[in-house]
Amino acid sequence: MNWFESYESDIRAYSRVYPAVFEKGDNARQTDEEGKEYIDFYAGAGVLNFGHNNPRLIEAVISYLQSGGVLHTLDMMTPPKREFIKAFVQTILEPRGMDYKLQFMGPTGTNAVEAALKLARRVTGRSEVVAFSQGFHGMTLGALACTANEYFRNAAGTPLGMVTHWPFETHDGGGIDSLHTLRALYQNSSSGVEKPAAFIVEVLQAEGGVNLASKAWLQALQQLAHDIGALLIVDDIQSGCGRTGSYFSFEDCGIDPDIITLAKGIGGIGTPMAMNLVKPEHDKHWQPGEHTGTFRGQNLSFVAGREALRYFEDDALMADTRRKGQIMADFLAGIAAQYSDEGFSVRGKGMMQALDVGSGDLAKAIANDCFENGMLFGPCGVGGAVMKLIPPLTIPDDDLHQGLAILGAAVKRQLEA
Ligand SMILES: Cc1ncc(COP(=O)(O)O)c(C=O)c1O
């Protein structure tokens, strides 16, 4: 009996792409129940920045479990929550001169986006939001309205309103001129275009195909938002928590978002958690308990997440992330050069690197080949043509090189078959 096929909903997705029953995990390796090992270049779609079963995090969680510490407490105060807040403020916010309130909500990324949209609408009294082409922000209706992908949008079963999609910088029609066009529309009281409550943007679009916005474009976007009284929401759910070689994806961009959405990696060990960083003047617009939820801050996630924050007490992990990101980028550039007739391109920042092979069928064939040979990655972007690599930031060099070699051999086999 295949219990998954017989009883699990047809909605299941990753289990179709990677048809193995995964049993164990150790840093960048996952082992299925047949004992076959895979080098994980997908890392829970950006959740496992510190690897599977990171021993430091596991130890902290086990010791908390053995201590009889409370696990579920709604959003009540607990020592792990205090320690997490304190460590986040002292390790991440204060050294960067950032002043934000920490809002916990239901534990997935889409919950964080919903809360951000709701607050922006409350603060401004406006309903429209601007999101960008190929952006991905989640599956609940408000977040889904901001998600651009037609396949996901079609599943809504209801019109998705109150969001205007505008070209992301690197897409056709995008760029700073296109922001000038928006500005002209907002300035013209007879343009028929309403000023939005917020702009929501991924600095490094992940699911949308690994597209990186420039500092100049982000600054122009922020200026536009400020000038028309709208909020800037940066969705750092996949690109934050160290993925790009700094804690936030935008640290070198000179922007100061009104709200930053975080999820995935902040729970450290893979247990769910989501958190928005909200400028105090906006946070004041919430009334106590107005945006509630049963699972707002799991104590196990606070314990593991606090432990993970130790990685940011110095620059060692981030320097290593930038170094390994360069190894990945160079390797992919080598493939693109080797098959220059194919028109492949390489994009990314830190340890989110991608090879755009221009064909969803080819990317899928390469992903299947890699799976057969013990390496996991997930295609993304329009038509699934972009091979996105996001291994744990803690991946050992040997595994990094071995995983890339499996990928290189798969590309060769599929192209030269
Ligand atoms: C940038 C971004 N925002 C939001 C989400 C939604 O997060 P979740 O799947 O945890 O709801 C994702 C998930 O991939 C994401 O990449």
Side-chain angles (χ1 to χ4, degrees):
M1 162 73 82
N2 183 333
W3 290 94
F4 304 105
E5 216 171 294
S6 302
Y7 287 101
E8 194 184 350
S9 163
D10 277 354
I11 198 79
R12 66 195 190 283
Y14 294 116
S15 57
R16 298 175 193 272
V17 185
Y18 310 118
V21 180
F22 292 104
E23 196 173 44
K24 298 225 162 99
D26 179 9
N27 201 352
R29 286 185 181 249
Q30 237 174 279
T31 309
D32 70 20
E33 61 183 7
E34 311 292 326
K36 181 175 169 188
E37 285 195 20
Y38 303 79
I39 304 177
D40 188 1
F41 276 60
Y42 201 40
V47 169
L48 297 162
N49 283 5
F50 315 101
H52 291 269
N53 291 326
N54 182 304
R56 281 161 54 174
L57 277 55
I58 288 278
E59 201 185 313
V61 165
I62 288 179
S63 114
Y64 186 71
L65 283 170
Q66 287 177 334
S67 76
V70 283
L71 290 178
H72 178 82
T73 49
L74 299 165
D75 77 342
M76 293 176 206
M77 294 180 281
T78 65
K81 188 179 192 176
R82 179 171 50 217
E83 289 310 305
F84 178 86
I85 293 174
K86 185 172 153 201
F88 194 86
V89 170
Q90 292 181 342
T91 311
I92 306 298
L93 296 184
E94 282 178 356
R96 291 166 179 76
M98 294 169 78
D99 183 18
Y100 287 92
K101 286 290 197 107
L102 278 53
Q103 183 192 347
F104 303 102
M105 64 289 295
T108 64
T110 201
N111 293 119
V113 171
E114 292 292 345
L117 297 174
K118 200 168 168 180
L119 184 60
R121 287 173 169 137
R122 161 67 65 89
V123 168
T124 58
R126 301 173 185 167
S127 43
E128 199 65 24
V129 165
V130 176
F132 292 93
S133 52
Q134 287 168 238
F136 185 96
H137 301 287
M139 293 291 107
T140 48
L141 290 181
L144 184 58
C146 298
T147 292
N149 183 297
E150 135 182 275
Y151 184 70
F152 297 128
R153 294 176 67 83
N154 285 344
T158 185
L160 295 167
M162 302 300 172
V163 177
T164 302
H165 288 267
W166 200 254
F168 185 75
E169 179 185 10
T170 59
H171 305 158
D172 281 352
I176 292 194
D177 284 351
S178 129
L179 295 181
H180 292 328
T181 304
L182 263 185
R183 178 184 290 276
L185 289 168
Y186 296 137
Q187 280 170 347
N188 177 354
S189 59
S190 291
S191 67
V193 177
E194 283 176 31
K195 291 190 182 78
F199 295 85
I200 181 165
V201 67
E202 291 165 90
V203 169
L204 176 61
Q205 290 190 328
E207 298 305 310
V210 187
N211 309 302
L212 182 62
S214 71
K215 181 175 172 174
W217 186 80
L218 289 165
Q219 289 185 356
L221 179 64
Q222 175 171 274
Q223 192 60 54
L224 174 61
H226 283 181
D227 290 349
I228 61 162
L231 271 53
L232 177 65
I233 304 170
V234 167
D235 182 343
D236 235 12
I237 286 169
Q238 192 162 154
S239 303
C241 301
R243 173 57 54 189
T244 60
S246 53
Y247 190 81
F248 298 105
S249 63
F250 54 85
E251 284 186 37
D252 51 354
C253 296
I255 58 169
D256 185 24
D258 294 285
I259 304 177
I260 301 161
T261 62
L262 293 168
K264 293 194 190 265
I266 51 167
I269 205 167
T271 49
M273 178 158 148
M275 177 176 83
N276 281 351
L277 303 178
V278 181
K279 288 274 182 195
E281 64 269 28
H282 302 318
D283 189 66
K284 285 192 170 50
H285 289 257
W286 285 126
Q287 297 301 313
E290 233 182 357
H291 188 81
T292 184
T294 306
F295 292 100
R296 279 180 297 152
Q298 274 296 299
N299 285 297
L300 283 187
S301 297
F302 283 134
V303 169
R306 189 275 163 266
E307 201 55 36
L309 286 169
R310 293 193 201 282
Y311 278 110
F312 300 94
E313 286 171 0
D314 60 36
D315 195 43
L317 180 70
M318 290 299 89
D320 212 36
T321 298
R322 296 189 289 272
R323 178 185 68 81
K324 287 189 269 198
Q326 194 57 52
I327 293 173
M328 292 161 64
D330 291 345
F331 185 86
L332 295 179
I335 295 180
Q338 190 179 349
Y339 300 102
S340 55
D341 292 349
E342 305 286 342
F344 296 166
S345 60
V346 178
R347 300 192 288 270
K349 187 173 184 184
M351 282 179 74
M352 185 185 296
Q353 293 290 335
L355 185 68
D356 186 340
V357 296
S359 151
D361 288 342
L362 178 58
K364 196 169 169 189
I366 295 168
N368 290 342
D369 190 317
C370 284
F371 173 74
E372 290 302 320
N373 289 286
M375 185 269 205
L376 307 174
F377 78 88
C380 65
V382 180
V386 180
M387 307 191 329
K388 179 179 65 165
L389 306 183
I390 45 172
L393 309 180
T394 51
I395 187 172
D397 278 19
D398 284 353
D399 283 356
L400 181 65
H401 289 294
Q402 197 178 328
L404 292 173
I406 293 171
L407 178 72
V411 172
K412 185 172 160 62
R413 258 191 304 276
Q414 295 306 319
L415 283 176
E416 298 177 5

